[in-house]
Amino acid sequence: MTTHPDDILHLTVCTADDGGVCLRLVGELDWESAGDLVETAREQLGRQPRPRPAVHLDCAQLSVCDSTGLSALLMVHRDVTAAGASLRLDNRPAFLDRMLALTGTLDHLTGTPPARTARLDGDGTDAPR
């Protein structure tokens, strides 16, 4: 188990139910802490035996994710995929799903198609996107 108590983001590493590695994210994933997530994920991917079946990011207690945090998630996804494993974003809070949907990264990071959203046309009627 690894934690980084001095950072705004607290990371805990444990074993997931499927035998993969689980990183629990507690706090803010932003420009100050994004590097810690990427570094910790890379450390876990470099451990033996490889490849791990999945890397889980438990986001249940994630309170903030800014654009640098999103960049970190994309880097972790790239590294996990290159290692032959899959990335799971577990227990995503609604704000994270919204951010991922708005940036077009939800499907890429989760394999889940983005929810269909409606917008208002100039005449005030709903129109599909």
Side-chain angles (χ1 to χ4, degrees), residues 82-116:
S86 60
L87 180 66
R88 305 276 190 251
L89 298 180
D90 298 336
N91 305 312
R92 297 184 309 274
F95 80 85
L96 183 58
D97 271 351
R98 271 193 312 275
M99 177 186 201
L100 297 178
L102 287 171
T103 58
T105 57
L106 181 64
D107 188 35
H108 179 69
L109 290 174
T110 68
T112 304
R116 185 176 177 149

Side-chain angles (χ1 to χ4, degrees), residues 43-109:
E43 288 172 2
Q44 294 303 312
L45 288 169
R47 298 184 75 185
Q48 298 298 325
R50 292 179 61 184
R52 296 181 178 271
V55 174
H56 298 259
L57 300 182
D58 184 349
C59 303
Q61 297 182 44
L62 187 65
S63 59
V64 168
C65 182
D66 71 2
S67 60
T68 309
L70 175 59
S71 176
L73 293 175
L74 291 167
M75 284 190 275
V76 169
H77 180 270
R78 182 189 62 208
D79 292 345
V80 167
T81 302
S86 60
L87 180 66
R88 305 276 190 251
L89 298 180
D90 298 336
N91 305 312
R92 297 184 309 274
F95 80 85
L96 183 58
D97 271 351
R98 271 193 312 275
M99 177 186 201
L100 297 178
L102 287 171
T103 58
T105 57
L106 181 64
D107 188 35
H108 179 69
L109 290 174

